[in-house]
Amino acid sequence: MCAQRLWPTVQALGRGLVSSRSEIIQQGVKAYNAQNFNPNHLSQGHSSSHERFPLSQRIIHTSRGSFNKVVTRSVHSGTVLLVKEFTDTENEHAHAVLRSLPAYHATTVARDESLGSSSHHQHPFPPSDAEWSRCPADEVANRFIATSQECRHRPMDLEDTRHSGLCSELVGSLAQLSDDHLLRVLSALSLWPPTSATRTPNFVALWNALDQACTERINRWDMTRMFLVADHWFALRLSRISMYNIHMTKLLGRKVLSMAPSQLVQYLFYANLSRKLEPFIIKKDIEKRICEVLSQISVEELGVIAMGFFKTQTFLKNERLVEAIIKKTQENLECVSDASLCAILKLLRKSTPVTQWKLMHNLLESLVPQLDRLNNMCLLQVALLGNDLLVFHPQVINMIASRFASDMSNIRMKDIERITFALMLYNFVPSSRPDIFTLVAEELRKPERTVEINHYPKCFVSCVVYLTTLGFFPQDLISAALQPSMLSLLSMNRHYSDMGREVSELDWSLMIEGPPNYQGFRLNPDLREQLTKEYLGNLPGGPSKGLTHQERLLMEVKEKLAAILGGPEFISITHVLPHVQTPDLVFCTNSEGQAVALPQEYRELAPTALKRPFGRPGEINWNAVIVAGRNSFIRNTEDLRGNVHMRRRQLSTLGYYVSVIPFMEYNRKSLRAKLSCLERCLKDGSSLCMDGCIESAWVTLKGKADRQQEIFG
């Protein structure tokens, strides 16, 4: 059922749950130790002395979807649908864009319009349902249209039994109506007030019959008629589940090259509503046509196109088109609406290839003067714009962080999580609001956030993980994120299947860097072991042909470090940090800086074990080498991205000397240049005495290369 028609039911449900939710939570807290406490998930008990998550905010397991969603069922497919109680403002904005332009007047309808708006003689209702069967199809349709018109002045209930006969007879008469008459009936249905229940027989019967009738006739209609009918389904808020809309987008998918600019825009609007473009639809044809018409459409229409691509998870492959969209957006930044800019930025974030990262940076630079006028939702998309390519614009992030910090209480949990992710990714502490991490933590503690956290536990846990990645350890929030009831919420949702990685990382980070007096919730050791095994990366080995680029790079660096140290027995590849997927290189030196063999007991540690240095400090110096690949650095800088920075910090905390080998510098052709890079990095971060090492390694590696050249010619 459409959200619009269910609004009174949803509203009543929401009011009831809001008034009782706090009581439910308090009862859950009182019963928490008796019902939800699982000692197997804890390594220690709680202590009243440490920082705790307020009792009023304990996350408990309540039925998901009970507060801000209503569960209903598609009559066609039988699949469960989650109907949001709030209006889908993005789609409303896109439709308003179409309505505002003359090119779409013939194919769209306003919400208060009706093709059945002409006056009809008011007839009394027949005394019995049987009498309707003697009425011609046109008479039945006209009577329904007239009755629908009355709803404008005297709202009625479509499920009233006195309308049942009319509705039933109309369902059987639709096949006999002309196309225009059928469209007027479809339009008239939207005039009725929302029904009082999620599955009401008259409404369900009518829209299903209309859906079938429209779908059966679609092959004989031109594109103008198809779009007009599709817009009436949008007015009913049934586009996503109507067979008509799905069939229409399939049928027109092969005709995009012949579409006029306005037709292409409107087609992608309806594709957005159905949330999919069929696999057989040629995406290259759509991109080609957009390239041809881009100069003929407005930036607002471009926003509708971008929404169609993003909502169908279809991203651009044509680099020339991406460049043209960036240019058009820059030219119209002063006049583009927030909603349209949001859609365009979402598409560009997922579509811009790494070869065009400078265009992305230029767009961020162009956005700086506009930031003050943009709303929070749009600001978030600006902050996320460079994330996929690691393109960082400090001024942009600094200004947006300041805005978010000043309005934190009005920002959705999802958006708090996303802005925290951006700050973590760039390892950035905003100079304008260095206290933003404290503000985020305070916001997560507020009782007003409890229901939101309960419905979106992933956002809460991810936020806590990002804070710890930045070196900020709020003990009460960590305990709340690791408590059994929160883990249960995460495990219930198939969309959170990858959260085990973040939960595992949080627990390991707590073990390495957490406060020594922490006594909150921890993962059960068996569960941590299971999750660590599941997400542990591979140790490279075997033929290089089957290795990834990063694995080949790691093996190459290992070979050269072995030559520098004096032999392969002095170095090992291992997961020092079991929650980090990429392994590190480890070697040891004595107090004079000479390489010594790694202790055998260290080599025999389990792959999933945290590998702390052995021995007394000063007797053996432990060294870890991070081979930082192409995605370890912020674009065009020597600054490590947030989680690699955390990796270096945690290795240092464990007691390792840490060297970082940057891909950009190391990835040169000559052996001499590679060795020079390693020499510089080891001098900066390791305990190795480099006297004579590089020349010795040069002789060893050059001789090996010469022998291979002789063998293979």
Side-chain angles (χ1 to χ4, degrees):
M1 293 293 177
C2 61
Q4 182 185 8
R5 304 190 70 81
L6 298 178
W7 174 245
T9 304
V10 178
Q11 200 172 34
L13 175 64
R15 282 195 297 268
L17 284 168
V18 167
S19 62
S20 63
R21 180 58 67 96
S22 59
E23 182 180 349
I24 292 172
I25 292 176
Q26 292 299 335
Q27 290 172 354
V29 170
K30 291 176 183 177
Y32 184 84
N33 287 332
Q35 296 180 8
N36 291 333
F37 184 80
N38 181 354
N40 293 329
H41 286 273
L42 286 176
S43 62
Q44 315 176 50
H46 283 285
S47 168
S48 58
S49 63
H50 89 88
E51 193 179 2
R52 296 186 62 181
F53 196 57
L55 286 178
S56 62
Q57 295 188 70
R58 287 288 185 199
I59 307 303
I60 64 169
H61 174 195
T62 61
S63 56
R64 282 186 56 78
S66 59
F67 173 61
N68 67 347
K69 295 176 182 176
V70 172
V71 177
T72 184
R73 192 169 296 277
S74 163
V75 176
H76 288 289
S77 64
T79 56
V80 174
L81 305 170
L82 296 177
V83 181
K84 298 177 183 178
E85 74 170 80
F86 52 83
T87 305
D88 192 337
T89 54
E90 288 180 312
N91 291 335
E92 291 290 346
H93 172 82
H95 191 261
V97 168
L98 302 185
R99 286 292 304 161
S100 69
L101 300 170
Y104 304 93
H105 285 178
T107 53
T108 58
V109 290
R111 180 176 291 184
D112 58 349
E113 283 185 1
S114 172
L115 293 180
S117 60
S118 56
S119 298
H120 290 276
H121 180 63
Q122 300 298 307
H123 297 282
F125 287 98
S128 68
D129 289 350
E131 203 165 313
W132 282 116
S133 62
R134 295 194 293 271
C135 295
D138 286 356
E139 174 67 16
V140 174
N142 288 339
R143 195 73 64 89
F144 178 79
I145 293 169
T147 307
S148 302
Q149 287 292 328
E150 274 191 73
C151 291
R152 294 185 172 204
H153 312 290
R154 185 170 63 88
M156 294 179 284
D157 183 2
L158 184 62
E159 302 306 320
D160 192 315
T161 54
R162 65 177 185 159
H163 301 310
S164 297
L166 174 60
C167 292
S168 179
E169 189 60 33
L170 181 60
V171 165
S173 304
L174 294 178
Q176 303 170 47
L177 299 179
S178 67
D179 292 346
D180 288 340
H181 219 160
L182 180 69
L183 187 56
R184 288 170 62 194
V185 171
L186 180 62
S187 176
L189 181 59
S190 64
L191 299 178
W192 289 81
T195 51
S196 59
T198 60
R199 299 181 66 181
T200 52
N202 289 346
F203 181 64
V204 167
L206 276 174
W207 82 255
N208 272 274
L210 285 164
D211 192 18
Q212 182 178 349
C214 292
T215 304
E216 289 173 351
R217 301 183 189 204
I218 194 171
N219 287 318
R220 70 191 194 207
W221 290 343
D222 61 16
M223 208 176 298
T224 298
R225 170 78 66 170
M226 287 186 200
F227 284 159
L228 183 59
V229 172
D231 215 60
H232 279 81
W233 285 109
F234 173 70
L236 281 165
R237 303 301 181 263
L238 293 171
S239 296
R240 189 168 184 181
I241 59 175
S242 71
M243 292 304 297
Y244 175 84
N245 201 60
I246 295 171
H247 194 71
M248 184 197 72
T249 52
K250 286 182 179 179
L251 189 64
L252 296 181
R254 300 184 189 277
K255 302 180 179 181
V256 292
L257 288 176
S258 61
M259 288 183 181
S262 61
Q263 291 173 331
L264 181 64
V265 173
Q266 197 164 357
Y267 170 73
L268 288 170
F269 171 70
Y270 297 123
N272 155 33
L273 298 178
S274 65
R275 293 293 193 271
K276 66 183 296 187
L277 281 174
E278 295 297 328
F280 66 82
I281 294 174
I282 303 174
K283 313 301 191 299
K284 286 184 179 180
D285 285 353
I286 300 178
E287 292 188 33
K288 179 182 177 182
R289 188 60 183 145
I290 295 173
C291 279
E292 294 170 349
V293 307
L294 192 60
S295 62
Q296 304 172 48
I297 62 175
S298 68
V299 70
E300 295 297 324
E301 290 171 289
L302 176 57
V304 176
I305 287 176
M307 197 180 301
F309 271 90
F310 186 82
K311 290 295 180 66
T312 60
Q313 295 296 294
T314 306
F315 303 112
L316 305 177
K317 305 293 185 185
N318 187 322
E319 294 190 20
R320 187 166 63 89
L321 177 57
V322 171
E323 183 176 355
I325 290 176
I326 291 176
K327 181 180 178 183
K328 188 177 187 75
T329 305
Q330 286 177 301
E331 292 171 348
N332 292 275
L333 281 177
E334 292 186 359
C335 61
V336 64
S337 65
D338 288 19
S340 293
L341 182 58
C342 244
I344 294 169
L345 296 181
K346 285 179 181 179
L347 179 62
L348 289 174
R349 174 162 60 93
K350 293 294 184 180
S351 299
T352 306
V354 67
T355 55
Q356 294 181 309
W357 72 266
K358 288 184 179 179
L359 293 177
M360 182 76 77
H361 191 275
N362 292 339
L363 177 57
L364 286 167
E365 183 69 27
S366 301
L367 281 161
V368 171
Q370 306 299 324
L371 295 181
D372 287 340
R373 76 168 180 86
L374 300 179
N375 62 27
N376 287 338
M377 188 66 72
C378 196
L379 286 175
L380 180 64
Q381 295 309 317
V382 176
L384 299 177
L385 181 60
N387 286 7
D388 288 31
L389 299 184
L390 292 171
V391 175
F392 180 41
H393 195 294
Q395 185 181 3
V396 167
I397 301 297
N398 193 47
M399 292 176 69
I400 294 174
S402 180
R403 278 277 297 276
F404 272 52
S406 63
D407 198 27
M408 192 71 73
S409 60
N410 295 317
I411 299 172
R412 299 183 309 168
M413 175 68 66
K414 288 181 178 181
D415 301 337
I416 293 176
E417 183 255 334
R418 288 287 83 193
I419 192 64
T420 309
F421 170 76
L423 295 171
M424 179 279 294
L425 182 68
Y426 302 124
N427 193 46
F428 183 65
V429 179
S431 58
S432 59
R433 291 304 298 257
D435 62 339
I436 190 169
F437 305 126
T438 301
L439 294 176
V440 167
E442 289 174 353
E443 195 63 36
L444 297 181
R445 294 185 179 107
K446 288 184 178 178
E448 305 93 275
R449 293 286 183 180
T450 305
V451 173
E452 198 175 4
I453 291 172
N454 216 25
H455 283 287
Y456 304 106
K458 179 184 183 299
C459 291
F460 173 80
V461 174
S462 293
C463 228
V464 176
V465 172
Y466 301 151
L467 290 175
T468 59
T469 302
L470 286 156
F472 187 74
F473 283 78
Q475 297 184 51
D476 56 337
L477 298 181
I478 294 171
S479 183
L482 293 176
Q483 65 178 299
S485 54
M486 177 66 79
L487 301 181
S488 296
L489 280 179
L490 294 174
S491 64
M492 285 171 54
N493 194 312
R494 62 184 177 86
H495 298 296
Y496 299 165
S497 59
D498 199 43
M499 282 303 294
R501 185 191 303 276
E502 293 197 10
V503 169
S504 173
E505 178 183 318
L506 180 59
D507 196 70
W508 281 116
S509 296
L510 185 62
M511 182 184 295
I512 297 167
E513 298 183 282
N517 63 336
Y518 176 81
Q519 297 182 31
F521 283 98
R522 292 285 306 275
L523 288 184
N524 171 276
D526 291 339
L527 176 59
R528 182 176 63 235
E529 176 77 7
Q530 174 191 333
L531 292 174
T532 303
K533 282 182 179 179
E534 183 176 351
Y535 296 106
L536 191 69
N538 295 321
L539 291 178
S544 62
K545 188 175 182 180
L547 301 179
T548 66
H549 178 275
Q550 177 63 26
E551 288 171 338
R552 287 195 299 272
L553 180 63
L554 188 65
M555 292 296 288
E556 184 184 330
V557 172
K558 181 192 176 186
E559 178 194 24
K560 291 173 177 56
L561 283 178
I564 292 172
L565 296 170
E569 67 274 14
F570 293 110
I571 191 164
S572 176
I573 298 180
T574 186
H575 287 96
V576 180
L577 305 173
H579 55 287
V580 175
Q581 191 170 29
T582 307
D584 298 308
L585 300 168
V586 176
F587 68 90
C588 293
T589 65
N590 58 23
S591 57
E592 285 78 38
Q594 303 300 313
V596 295
L598 274 74
Q600 187 60 31
E601 55 266 40
Y602 183 89
R603 291 180 178 274
E604 292 174 354
L605 287 172
T608 56
L610 178 64
K611 297 166 184 65
R612 298 180 183 274
F614 287 5
R616 296 178 181 176
E619 290 181 354
I620 298 180
N621 296 316
W622 290 79
N623 293 264
V625 178
I626 299 173
V627 180
R630 63 183 74 197
N631 290 322
S632 298
F633 295 87
I634 297 168
R635 188 73 54 194
N636 204 40
T637 74
E638 296 181 358
D639 299 325
L640 293 171
R641 60 185 291 179
N643 46 8
V644 184
H645 189 275
M646 174 199 73
R647 179 178 172 184
R648 182 172 66 179
R649 186 183 71 234
Q650 290 185 352
L651 288 170
S652 295
T653 300
L654 289 175
Y656 288 88
Y657 288 88
V658 185
S659 304
V660 178
I661 312 299
F663 163 79
M664 305 86 68
E665 182 182 349
Y666 178 83
N667 195 33
R668 295 173 179 170
K669 297 292 184 183
S670 75
L671 175 59
R672 181 70 72 178
K674 291 178 186 295
L675 290 174
S676 295
C677 171
L678 295 178
E679 180 181 26
R680 182 191 65 78
C681 295
L682 291 172
K683 281 183 176 179
D684 287 347
S686 79
S687 62
L688 180 67
C689 176
M690 301 297 295
D691 294 344
C693 288
I694 297 301
E695 286 305 316
S696 175
W698 161 258
V699 172
T700 301
L701 293 168
K702 188 69 170 62
K704 183 178 178 181
D706 291 342
R707 287 192 297 273
Q708 288 178 340
Q709 181 68 25
E710 290 177 7
I711 293 172
F712 297 106

